[in-house]
Amino acid sequence: MIRDGFGRSFQTLRISLLDRCNFACTYCVDEDVRLSRKNSFLEVDEWIRIVHELHSLLHLKKVRLTGGEPTLYPHLKILVRELKNLGIPQISLTTNGSILSKQASDLKNAGLDSINVSLDAMTSESFQTMSRRSAFKQTLKGIDAAVDSGLKVRINCTLVRGKNEDQIIPILEYSWNKGILPRFLELMKMGYLQNSDTIPIFSQKEILDRVEEHYGTLTPQTRKLSSTANYWNTENGNSFGIIANESAPFCSDCDRLRLDSKGSLYGCLSSSTGFPLPKLREQGIDMEQILILALRQKQDVRFKGSDLTMMAIGG
């Protein structure tokens, strides 16, 4: 197996199917970007060719489909089915959920195992502040459809100081009432935020303090190897997670590999320079060599920022 000096390898592949989104979340873009009419993406057979080659070398345990907004990819159900046919144990999806209600059942039937839905607020006003869209009810409907279909569902809430930290408790209550595991994300220095002097991060400690005020003593769970999140249990037996990129970095055992919508490979989110696989394949460059170079992109300790947006690479 391809490993670096820290013993890290690639076991999870994240594919950004397209760099388009029907939201314009404040932590992703600095202005209201409307959905482009341009449709530029790789076809299913191209994705499968790339993933098959990677899987044969890496024995991937999981593929996560992201974006942009992956539910806008026109052949999503077919892609899920073909990825499952490659023998990859887990196929997952990260989505804003706004059109999920129309797709959840078909995706489950195609072989999708789990889904993360981004939900940054529990009021329509706060939701619109965060996403710059009035799709609150549609997203909740998408979550219900995913639960009803039998998919394993998690809620991801990205916290931005001064905008939605007051939504922590409502998100917890909503998620637990639905039998869903909620997770809170510290803001990442990506895109327009990379070189900002002040990043409005609401830290892991502040999140824990806020939760303890309402639910009492929290018990930490043992972190799983290569997990992005730390998890806690409340006194009444509920659980939640925090992806604390700044407060509790997890680079030291990261096993993630990324593909952008043009087929460029990234070994680390901190790197804004990918390896363009279609071009390199034409030149006869060996995939194993590319993966060794991609592994060298990984940071030793923590994420250092990237000028790529979440919309481009999926976080």
Side-chain angles (χ1 to χ4, degrees):
M1 185 179 288
I2 300 168
R3 292 188 182 277
D4 67 4
F6 290 86
R8 295 177 297 193
S9 61
F10 294 124
Q11 293 286 277
T12 300
L13 175 65
R14 298 177 63 102
I15 303 176
S16 179
L17 294 178
L18 28 66
D19 58 0
R20 300 164 60 242
C21 187
N22 53 347
F23 282 13
C25 296
T26 57
Y27 48 82
C28 183
V29 291
D30 61 347
E31 58 184 9
D32 190 349
V33 179
R34 291 289 163 175
L35 188 65
S36 168
R37 293 180 179 272
K38 183 180 179 182
N39 288 301
S40 177
F41 48 79
L42 296 187
E43 297 294 338
V44 170
D45 59 346
E46 296 176 278
W47 283 126
I48 295 302
R49 218 169 21 243
I50 293 172
V51 176
H52 180 267
E53 189 172 1
L54 291 171
H55 187 43
S56 66
L57 290 168
L58 300 171
H59 307 291
L60 296 166
K61 294 180 179 179
K62 185 176 186 176
V63 170
R64 176 169 295 281
L65 303 174
T66 69
E69 174 46 48
T71 58
L72 297 175
Y73 184 74
H75 315 301
L76 182 58
K77 180 177 68 173
I78 298 170
L79 178 60
V80 168
R81 185 181 67 231
E82 294 302 313
L83 287 170
K84 202 68 173 180
N85 288 340
L86 291 178
I88 296 169
Q90 292 186 56
I91 309 296
S92 303
L93 181 79
T94 296
T95 173
N96 62 35
S98 60
I99 57 175
L100 183 59
S101 63
K102 303 173 183 178
Q103 302 181 9
S105 180
D106 285 344
L107 291 173
K108 171 64 176 176
N109 292 335
L112 190 69
D113 297 292
S114 62
I115 193 162
N116 291 349
V117 181
S118 299
L119 180 65
D120 298 324
M122 285 309 304
T123 68
S124 56
E125 294 79 12
S126 186
F127 184 96
Q128 185 155 6
T129 295
M130 295 297 294
S131 67
R132 299 190 177 101
R133 297 292 182 269
S134 56
F136 179 55
K137 290 182 179 179
Q138 293 94 312
T139 295
L140 296 186
K141 187 178 178 182
I143 292 170
D144 285 340
V147 171
D148 291 344
S149 74
L151 285 165
K152 179 182 178 182
V153 181
R154 293 187 300 198
I155 296 295
N156 283 349
C157 174
T158 299
L159 294 173
V160 180
R161 180 180 296 280
K163 289 188 181 291
N164 70 328
E165 67 266 35
D166 62 335
Q167 297 297 298
I168 291 173
I169 303 306
I171 288 284
L172 288 174
E173 291 292 328
Y174 167 81
S175 302
W176 292 337
N177 286 336
K178 294 280 184 181
I180 296 172
L181 180 66
R183 305 190 305 175
F184 299 100
L185 284 67
E186 286 185 349
L187 197 60
M188 298 182 74
K189 299 175 183 177
M190 294 188 66
Y192 79 98
L193 291 171
Q194 182 191 12
N195 298 313
S196 176
D197 293 332
T198 56
I199 308 295
I201 293 172
F202 199 76
S203 72
Q204 174 172 279
K205 183 181 184 305
E206 292 173 297
I207 298 168
L208 293 174
D209 288 345
R210 184 71 60 92
V211 177
E212 281 194 320
E213 286 177 8
H214 284 77
Y215 302 107
T217 303
L218 302 173
T219 304
Q221 298 180 18
T222 301
R223 177 180 174 270
K224 294 181 180 179
L225 188 69
S226 78
S227 174
T228 59
N230 295 308
Y231 291 93
W232 286 263
N233 297 326
T234 65
E235 291 178 354
N236 61 2
N238 289 316
S239 300
F240 68 97
I242 302 176
I243 300 177
N245 178 73
E246 287 292 319
S247 301
F250 38 82
C251 293
S252 61
D253 59 5
C254 174
D255 69 356
R256 284 164 290 285
L257 178 67
R258 291 172 169 82
L259 279 167
D260 71 12
S261 61
K262 299 175 181 61
S264 289
L265 197 70
Y266 298 79
C268 180
L269 199 57
S270 286
S271 177
S272 56
T273 303
F275 299 92
L277 293 186
K279 181 178 179 180
L280 294 175
R281 277 213 312 262
E282 288 178 3
Q283 297 173 354
I285 306 297
D286 182 74
M287 180 67 85
E288 189 168 350
Q289 291 178 304
I290 298 170
L291 288 171
I292 291 171
L293 293 173
L295 199 52
R296 291 176 185 171
Q297 290 181 323
K298 286 195 175 299
Q299 300 299 310
D300 295 350
V301 178
R302 65 168 59 244
F303 172 70
K304 293 185 177 180
S306 171
D307 59 9
L308 293 174
T309 66
M310 291 286 189
M311 195 180 296
I313 197 64

